[in-house]
Amino acid sequence: MLSRAENDRFVRVGAGTPMGELLRRYWQPIAAAGEFDSGPRTKSIKLLGENLVLYKDKGGNFGLVDRHCPHRRADMRFGILEDCGIRCSYHGWMFDETGKCLAQPFEDQVNAKARFKDKITLKAYPVRENAGLLWAYMGPLPAPELPHYEPFNWDHGFKQLVFAVVPCNWFQCQENSIDPVHFEWAHANWGKRLRGDEGKYVPTHVKLGFEEFDQGFSYKRVREDTDENDQLWTVGRVCLWPNGMFTGDHFEWRVPIDDENTLSVTWSYTMADPERDLPELTSIPWWYGPVTHPETGEWITSHVMNQDFSAWVGQGVIAERSFEHLGQSDLGIVKLRKALKVAMDVVEKGEGDPKGVIRDPEQAKCVPLPTMTRSSYEEYKKIAFGKAGESWTPEDEEGVKKRTHSFDYKFQFGQPDHIRKQFLEFMGFDK
Ligand code: FES
Ligand SMILES: [Fe+2]
């Protein structure tokens, strides 16, 4: 349990708050690069409590700037995109992606000598593209390296980027990244009941383990139906520092929009038949899913991440941790809180980079993570057919086609038809 004041240190993300300052030391995924494929455009976003505009200019440069123009506060979302920068559409002041004021048409006309523009900047943050995502860095410069995690290099499979806006605080979402027992209940058992299956509950967890490393924690489990030789124990999954998770085939980040809303960002990978020549994709497909049913307003609970969203939002907009009662299953959460506390202290005391920040470009080029082989093709077949290591018979192929045709993307509700179609064609299930 945490006191109100202790809780506040974890949940508040605005500039100047301990957690806000800590999270600003890391690159955050904020959108899909593919959202800007159709050409220059702006998109208003809120990140760590700050109202911002993300844009791509005519020269292909990405920028992330204050929502409001420093002249008289007009909305930069309506900005005119130039070859290099964005121009406020109200009186034409123009800025580059570093926030430098390049032009003030009327001031430049009547009093160029005063160079008023040299005194003006638009708040701006660096943006970079990696793994199909756009990443922003809102901390002190120079920015650290943007980690390129090793799975981003996996090339023989279908990738997609999935987003959702979840109306609760980021930290209860991230605590879920180190909560092994919830898989048994929130997904397996609750999922069964939601499907109307009144059968026996799934095998229970009997042992948990947590190991800290530079990029987070690995968490391991033994269930009644597994032993310590299983990769669930020998490798485990990753609570990715500071606000993500990696399961072996997908990443999830919980990116704070503000204290009361979180952008869920998923980078998902499905391995394809190793024998298959894959079509080229120009950019990674992306989509945003709803969290409630548009007609009824009810929470969507049919898909894995929607079950998580429902659990997180159910904890309250900001979970009241002074009322909680932690048990043995929460050891990982205790470890995560401790590590975040240490990292917040490092930043507050000005003691240099907190945990996990990478400054060495060579190191950032390929950051390895513990990876269970769930994404291997054999495993994929196991999931698809319920049997491992057997050859892919025509009946199997029929079976997988049926499943992939009849099932949505199982991790999150709302995959659009055109992406489903793209997936089926890509994987060779389109006949
Ligand atoms: S408000 Fe932006 S140029 Fe005047
Ligand atoms: Fe979950």
Side-chain angles (χ1 to χ4, degrees):
M1 123 180 179
L2 297 177
S3 71
R4 212 11 97 78
E6 287 168 327
N7 199 27
D8 269 359
R9 280 178 69 81
F10 287 104
V11 301
R12 305 285 167 203
V13 295
T17 61
M19 185 57 80
E21 290 307 311
L22 175 63
L23 292 175
R24 280 169 172 76
R25 303 302 174 107
Y26 304 91
W27 289 89
Q28 299 290 340
I30 55 169
E35 292 178 55
F36 293 81
D37 276 357
S38 54
R41 64 171 279 231
T42 62
K43 179 183 182 182
S44 58
I45 66 165
K46 197 173 187 191
L47 183 59
L48 295 167
E50 298 186 34
N51 287 309
L52 303 167
V53 171
L54 174 63
Y55 70 82
K56 182 180 182 178
D57 68 20
K58 284 185 182 161
N61 311 296
F62 287 105
L64 180 64
V65 297
D66 196 342
R67 178 84 186 256
H68 297 288
C69 173
H71 177 216
R72 276 172 40 217
R73 315 280 299 152
D75 191 340
M76 296 302 289
R77 182 167 61 99
F78 303 122
I80 300 166
L81 294 160
E82 301 281 359
D83 286 338
C84 183
I86 186 167
R87 191 188 282 279
C88 176
S89 54
Y90 204 14
H91 311 95
W93 290 18
M94 180 176 153
F95 305 88
D96 70 11
E97 79 278 4
T98 68
K100 185 177 155 59
C101 184
L102 304 176
Q104 295 165 311
F106 190 73
E107 310 306 318
D108 295 345
Q109 179 71 35
V110 298
N111 195 6
K113 264 203 225 123
R115 295 201 60 89
F116 183 27
K117 61 182 166 227
D118 293 350
K119 300 189 184 82
I120 301 294
T121 47
L122 175 66
K123 183 169 75 177
Y125 297 116
V127 180
R128 293 242 290 272
E129 185 177 345
N130 188 28
L133 289 161
L134 296 177
W135 303 72
Y137 174 79
M138 296 170 69
L141 297 173
E145 295 298 322
L146 171 57
H148 184 83
Y149 300 108
E150 186 271 331
F152 291 164
N153 293 332
W154 298 347
D155 54 2
H156 200 80
F158 188 80
K159 294 167 190 167
Q160 59 191 306
L161 305 168
V162 186
F163 300 84
V165 175
V166 185
C168 70
N169 183 258
W170 80 282
F171 189 46
Q172 58 221 52
C173 313
Q174 179 59 2
E175 286 179 326
N176 175 260
S177 303
I178 192 158
D179 180 355
V181 173
H182 95 278
F183 284 92
E184 178 186 328
W185 289 97
H187 303 307
N189 288 330
W190 190 32
K192 261 185 141 173
R193 293 296 183 262
L194 286 168
R195 290 190 302 274
D197 180 343
E198 290 298 319
K200 261 188 16 197
Y201 285 135
V202 300
T204 194
H205 284 72
V206 294
K207 183 175 171 184
L208 306 178
F210 302 91
E211 274 168 38
E212 184 164 4
F213 66 110
D214 196 41
Q215 294 299 317
F217 295 83
S218 62
Y219 63 90
K220 306 166 176 213
R221 77 286 279 294
V222 178
R223 295 189 315 235
E224 280 172 334
D225 60 336
T226 66
D227 58 28
E228 290 184 15
N229 300 315
D230 193 291
Q231 294 207 358
L232 285 171
W233 182 260
T234 57
V235 183
R237 291 182 168 191
V238 178
C239 170
L240 187 64
W241 190 261
N243 58 325
M245 98 183 254
F246 173 64
T247 64
D249 68 356
H250 75 273
F251 287 85
E252 294 171 24
W253 291 271
R254 299 75 162 85
V255 181
I257 294 172
D258 54 26
D259 291 352
E260 301 188 345
N261 295 281
T262 302
L263 181 68
S264 168
V265 179
T266 300
W267 181 98
S268 162
Y269 176 87
T270 310
M271 192 174 181
D273 182 343
E275 308 294 317
R276 182 173 157 74
D277 282 333
L278 296 176
E280 287 265 331
L281 289 183
T282 45
S283 67
I284 300 186
W286 55 273
W287 52 281
Y288 285 72
V291 294
T292 53
H293 287 289
E295 317 81 54
T296 61
E298 282 296 322
W299 284 86
I300 297 164
T301 53
S302 51
H303 290 57
V304 174
M305 289 190 58
N306 299 89
Q307 292 161 353
D308 287 322
F309 300 160
S310 307
W312 306 341
V313 171
Q315 290 174 283
V317 175
I318 298 178
E320 179 51 271
R321 292 180 177 78
S322 56
F323 294 149
E324 69 187 7
H325 300 85
L326 301 187
Q328 292 289 318
S329 72
D330 307 302
L331 187 60
I333 284 163
V334 173
K335 285 177 184 284
L336 173 65
R337 290 180 188 175
K338 264 194 196 143
L340 284 167
K341 205 160 168 285
V342 169
M344 283 191 283
D345 287 346
V346 168
V347 171
E348 251 182 334
K349 291 180 188 152
E351 290 171 348
D353 283 333
K355 176 182 169 73
V357 167
I358 299 174
R359 295 279 171 191
D360 174 5
E362 278 309 306
Q363 191 197 341
K365 268 186 198 160
C366 187
V367 180
L369 295 173
T371 305
M372 297 197 300
T373 55
R374 184 160 169 256
S375 57
S376 75
Y377 199 55
E378 282 309 310
E379 285 295 312
Y380 177 64
K381 281 198 282 188
K382 186 162 112 189
I383 294 160
F385 309 133
K387 54 183 179 179
E390 292 171 36
S391 62
W392 183 286
T393 65
E395 292 74 39
D396 287 339
E397 196 154 347
E398 266 320 297
V400 88
K401 266 191 255 168
K402 247 191 215 151
R403 285 182 69 105
T404 49
H405 273 98
S406 57
F407 287 175
D408 283 337
Y409 173 77
K410 68 179 178 183
F411 296 108
Q412 192 176 313
F413 175 85
Q415 188 191 47
D417 290 345
H418 72 275
I419 298 201
R420 188 76 197 144
K421 198 162 161 266
Q422 207 176 0
F423 169 78
L424 295 171
E425 281 170 10
F426 185 93
M427 301 296 281
F429 300 147
D430 58 330
K431 286 169 216 109

